[in-house]
Amino acid sequence: YRRKGIGAALVSRVLIRMKGMGCLSATLETEVSNQAAQRLYQDRFGFLCEERLAKYYLNWGDAYRLRLWFK
């Protein structure tokens, strides 16, 4: 179901809900090799990369920690 807008719609709804509840930011992790997810979070929603987490996943893959600050 990739490229059908489902992921973007879900992320959008969650972010709207979090902002409405008074959250100051949203944080998530995505695997370094998952460029599609990085494009979604960074390009579409404005998440910023805060740090790289070495061997974060069970497969020893590194992750990026991303954060979006609400305005």
Side-chain angles (χ1 to χ4, degrees), residues 21-51:
M21 294 176 71
C23 294
L24 300 176
S25 67
T27 305
L28 57 84
E29 291 80 27
T30 184
E31 196 160 8
V32 169
S33 63
N34 191 345
Q35 294 178 351
Q38 291 171 45
R39 281 192 301 274
L40 174 68
Y41 298 129
Q42 293 176 315
D43 297 345
R44 180 133 184 201
F45 293 103
F47 278 80
L48 301 174
C49 184
E50 285 196 324
E51 64 182 308

Side-chain angles (χ1 to χ4, degrees), residues 4-7 11-13 18-21 23 27 32-35 40-41 45-46 51 54 56-58 67 69:
K4 295 189 182 295
I6 297 168
V11 172
S12 180
R13 291 188 71 141
M18 289 177 71
K19 189 174 180 180
M21 294 176 71
C23 294
T27 305
V32 169
S33 63
N34 191 345
Q35 294 178 351
L40 174 68
Y41 298 129
F45 293 103
E51 64 182 308
Y56 182 80
Y57 291 103
L58 293 175
R67 183 182 301 263
W69 290 95

